[in-house]
Amino acid sequence: MAGKPVRPTSAIDQTRRMLSLVTYLRERPGARIEDVARAFGITEDELVSDLDVLPMCGTSFRGGDLLDIDTDGERIWWHNPAALGADAAEPLRLAADEATALLVAARAVATLPGLRESDRQALLRATAKVEAAAGEAAGASSRLSVTFESEGGVFADVDRAIAERRRLWIRYYSPARDEVTEREIDPVRLVSVGHTYVEAWCRRSEARRTFRLDRVAEIKILDEPSAPPEVELRDLSEGLVQPAAEDPEVVVEVGPGGRWVAEYYPHDSADELPDGGLHISLRTPDPASLRRLALRLGRDGRIVSPPELAESARQAAREALGAYDAIGEAEPGAVPAGRDGRDGRQERVL
């Protein structure tokens, strides 16, 4: 990856950057990619990612109104800069359903905890202007409301901490170890890969870690400044979890009902078995975390190697069955949830 960002960016920072990028490119036809990336303090890969999004923007979806921006790998060309000219732009008119959706979303965002007060007031002013312009079309929005679940509040706090460069304290649930830990982290960036995560420097581990927002049980923005060591941001185009070649190898065999493992876990190989199952080889820095996978698979799969991990998984299964038997003895006729397959659910997440 060429170059390093001057500082971590939040989603709001990225939006501001792309708006500035439009003006910058309009005034500099044929600008060199490396020069533009350096001017905005981002990597060339991040700039190319922005350029992939900009052609989807414009004054409308009619031909010629979208930004016609492309690159030959070295320079950036804007073929229709007049598309955003004052003469080309038409007054924005919102349909009733568009006005309703926009107003409901704006009011909901304004209630997010952790939102900076200046941003909240700016949003409320903009909402009032849209409401006045929409007239009767805005009436339906007053009868609708949206409530964000806890992840929305966590997102707002993380985004604010990144923008203000402040440290975070979190209570975090780790499913691999089935425990809740308290940590202080220096947030680096928010990323979305299926779920929303914060990439951060963890003061407890003294290493870079990635935390899933819906597993944050509690969060506080601290007064201490965020000061993560300078690290090169990872390319997440191949997925969030990218095992290293030096990580221990684990072999898992699954039946037809366990083929989903090859879809959810990065792996080196997945060979077909005669019964319709798969022989899967994968790498992980924490092989013990795969015991939970073995328990979720049940009859649909087993760990083959390393032998000590396979035995550990068998022991965990015996202990789990023993706990079920104890419940059955205490309450004759009782069937624990998931034992008959009706109430149990498989969690297919890393």
Side-chain angles (χ1 to χ4, degrees):
M1 180 179 294
K4 294 184 179 180
V6 173
R7 63 181 181 86
T9 59
S10 67
I12 293 176
D13 291 330
Q14 184 181 17
T15 301
R16 291 170 177 161
R17 181 182 73 227
M18 291 182 68
L19 290 173
S20 300
L21 187 59
V22 170
T23 302
Y24 186 93
L25 294 178
R26 185 176 182 179
E27 297 174 351
R28 296 168 176 81
R32 297 180 61 84
I33 286 182
E34 59 180 338
D35 295 337
V36 178
R38 187 183 307 111
F40 282 83
I42 58 177
T43 67
E44 293 180 19
D45 287 345
E46 288 174 311
L47 175 59
V48 171
S49 179
D50 288 347
L51 295 177
D52 289 339
V53 174
L54 284 178
M56 304 177 190
C57 306
T59 56
S60 77
F61 290 103
R62 298 177 305 176
D65 290 346
L66 295 178
L67 304 185
D68 187 4
I69 296 176
D70 66 12
T71 174
D72 61 4
E74 295 183 2
R75 295 181 178 273
I76 305 168
W77 302 98
W78 188 347
H79 301 295
N80 64 338
L84 294 185
D87 295 336
E90 295 182 356
L92 177 62
R93 293 181 175 86
L94 294 176
D97 58 340
E98 294 174 327
T100 299
L102 181 60
L103 289 169
V104 170
R107 293 189 185 116
V109 172
T111 66
L112 283 175
L115 189 66
R116 283 172 287 182
E117 189 58 28
S118 59
D119 291 338
R120 191 191 313 277
Q121 293 303 318
L123 180 58
L124 290 175
R125 289 193 298 271
T127 303
K129 292 179 181 179
V130 173
E131 189 171 16
E136 295 182 1
S141 67
S142 63
R143 299 189 293 273
L144 299 172
S145 64
V146 173
T147 301
F148 289 101
E149 296 185 0
S150 58
E151 184 177 325
V154 173
F155 181 98
D157 282 340
V158 174
D159 188 66
R160 177 185 171 190
I162 292 174
E164 298 179 2
R165 303 187 190 182
R166 292 166 63 182
R167 188 170 298 175
L168 287 167
W169 172 89
I170 60 172
R171 291 181 63 244
Y172 186 76
Y173 172 66
S174 174
R177 297 177 176 81
D178 193 24
E179 65 178 1
V180 176
T181 58
E182 295 184 8
R183 303 166 182 261
E184 288 190 8
I185 63 173
D186 293 335
V188 175
R189 61 172 173 169
L190 284 160
V191 295
S192 180
V193 184
H195 295 275
T196 305
Y197 302 81
V198 56
E199 193 172 5
W201 183 262
C202 177
R203 294 291 168 178
R204 183 172 184 264
S205 304
E206 286 300 316
R208 177 167 55 184
R209 293 289 185 266
T210 303
F211 303 95
R212 214 171 97 175
L213 296 196
D214 61 353
R215 291 177 179 162
V216 175
E218 189 177 353
I219 186 169
K220 295 178 183 176
I221 301 178
L222 304 179
D223 292 332
E224 287 87 349
S226 174
E230 186 176 352
V231 294
E232 184 174 351
L233 298 182
R234 297 183 298 158
D235 179 7
L236 301 180
S237 61
E238 298 299 324
L240 186 69
V241 179
Q242 301 171 23
E246 62 271 16
D247 289 340
E249 181 184 44
V250 178
V251 176
V252 180
E253 287 189 351
V254 300
R259 293 180 67 94
W260 57 265
V261 173
E263 300 176 10
Y264 285 83
Y265 286 78
H267 54 275
D268 294 334
S269 63
D271 300 321
E272 294 285 344
L273 294 175
D275 64 352
L278 293 172
H279 179 92
I280 303 171
S281 174
L282 54 86
R283 296 182 182 276
T284 173
D286 183 17
S289 65
L290 294 181
R291 283 180 303 194
R292 292 175 61 86
L293 170 63
L295 293 176
R296 289 200 296 273
L297 283 169
R299 296 178 180 178
D300 288 328
R302 65 190 181 96
I303 294 175
V304 177
S305 67
E308 60 273 18
L309 178 58
E311 176 56 32
S312 175
R314 285 192 289 269
Q315 180 60 32
R318 286 192 288 265
E319 293 174 356
L321 288 173
Y324 277 122
D325 291 339
I327 294 175
E329 293 174 1
E331 302 179 15
V335 179
R339 191 71 179 273
D340 61 357
R342 291 177 297 177
D343 299 321
R345 293 181 295 173
Q346 287 184 332
E347 180 192 3
R348 300 180 181 180
V349 296
L350 294 178

